[in-house]
Amino acid sequence: MIDLGPLGRHMPTFEPGSVWLVGAGPGDPGLLTARAIHALGTADVLVYDALVSPEILELVRKDAELEFAGKRGGKPSAKQRDITDRLIELARQGKRVLRLKGGDPFVFGRGGEEALALHAAGIPFQVVSGITSGLGGLAAAGIPATTRDTNQAIILMTGHYAMQGPEAIDWAAFARTGVPLVLYMAMNNLAAIIAELMRAGMTADTPVAFVNKATTPEQRVLVSTLGNAVADVAKAGIEAPAITVIGSIVPVRAALGFPDATV
């Protein structure tokens, strides 16, 4: 058990036979919540995602079981149904099951689906929020999510499977809002997304930033424009995992004294 000092008195009991859906934040172990650290030190088994860093895994109870359940686009990955079934199976064995996800489990993390399945199976569960990678990534890159002079709202969106099928997004509708867009998992569809946004009226000089591996020692930030973004990303070698932010908040980074690009 990790000693949380006086905070330990405020931690709920991690009951055997239950599942905790926990957010690991954007990457930096220092951004974990106290409740997430409590869960890591208490769980009997950890089912974790690809974006959970080795430094965070070091906080797991020494005799806990570790099961990798990462999903990465274009690579062999665990199926969501299999992951959910495994959570239920482990809980029914009387174990304290920690499902650890990068960011926040309820923000593009499939945590809502897992919670619904656990509830249907009669498995007790708790949700432990984490700093979502979109907002944590912006902060790490020196880009405020809002300022009074730039915007009164932001839109968090997924770019994964966002161009076709039942999850297709009406990009034109979002472009017309004029609100900054923060895109998760957009790199594979970047060219198509940008084409749709420009077709909807966004100008080529609209500022864009990419935050790769946010909050980690490997973080890289690329600042570009909508018209140049695809070429600049290719030249810089920016790949997933990355957060894409489009709109009026991007130039605030330079105003705060951050360099235009760190590649």
Side-chain angles (χ1 to χ4, degrees):
M1 178 75 70
I2 299 174
D3 184 8
L4 293 174
L7 277 176
R9 298 196 300 268
H10 302 280
M11 295 299 118
T13 301
F14 197 159
E15 297 287 357
S18 67
V19 177
W20 281 23
L21 307 171
V22 178
D28 181 351
L31 296 176
L32 287 168
T33 65
R35 189 164 295 188
I37 294 172
H38 166 66
L40 286 162
T42 308
D44 299 312
V45 57
L46 173 72
V47 181
Y48 66 99
D49 279 354
L51 296 180
V52 176
S53 71
E55 292 79 12
I56 290 176
L57 295 179
E58 291 176 0
L59 301 175
V60 180
R61 204 179 83 196
K62 297 306 180 186
D63 59 343
E65 305 169 41
L66 273 66
E67 296 193 10
F68 177 71
K71 291 181 288 184
R72 301 301 297 270
K75 299 179 181 179
S77 301
K79 302 296 184 183
Q80 183 60 50
R81 181 64 193 181
D82 293 337
I83 296 171
T84 303
D85 288 346
R86 183 60 174 158
L87 297 177
I88 294 170
E89 177 186 12
L90 290 168
R92 285 177 173 165
Q93 293 173 8
K95 296 180 178 180
R96 302 175 183 87
V97 184
L98 170 52
R99 175 70 170 115
L100 190 64
K101 301 168 174 286
D104 183 283
F106 272 15
V107 182
F108 304 122
R110 308 294 287 269
E113 297 169 45
E114 292 173 358
L116 287 168
L118 292 167
H119 176 68
I123 303 297
F125 68 90
Q126 288 201 31
V127 179
V128 179
S129 298
I131 297 175
T132 182
S133 55
L135 301 184
L138 293 191
I143 301 173
T146 64
T147 77
R148 289 196 302 170
D149 295 329
T150 58
N151 60 310
Q152 288 73 49
I154 59 168
I155 297 175
L156 306 182
M157 308 180 66
T158 175
H160 187 51
Y161 297 133
M163 303 308 299
Q164 58 188 356
E167 298 180 5
I169 290 174
D170 183 354
W171 292 99
F174 288 100
R176 286 192 295 269
T177 67
V179 170
L181 308 178
V182 179
L183 308 181
Y184 297 64
M185 301 170 287
M187 301 309 290
N188 288 341
N189 291 319
L190 183 63
I193 291 170
I194 287 176
E196 289 293 325
L197 292 173
M198 293 182 69
R199 190 175 295 118
M202 276 195 178
T203 61
D205 62 354
T206 300
V208 182
F210 302 89
V211 190
N212 174 234
K213 297 183 179 179
T215 78
T216 73
E218 293 79 34
Q219 174 177 299
R220 296 197 298 161
V221 179
L222 174 66
V223 176
S224 182
T225 61
L226 212 58
N228 296 328
V230 173
D232 287 347
V233 162
K235 182 178 179 180
I238 299 292
E239 299 178 342
I243 291 296
T244 303
V245 53
I246 303 170
S248 58
I249 55 178
V250 173
V252 182
R253 170 182 164 86
L256 291 175
F258 289 83
D260 284 344
T262 305
V263 298

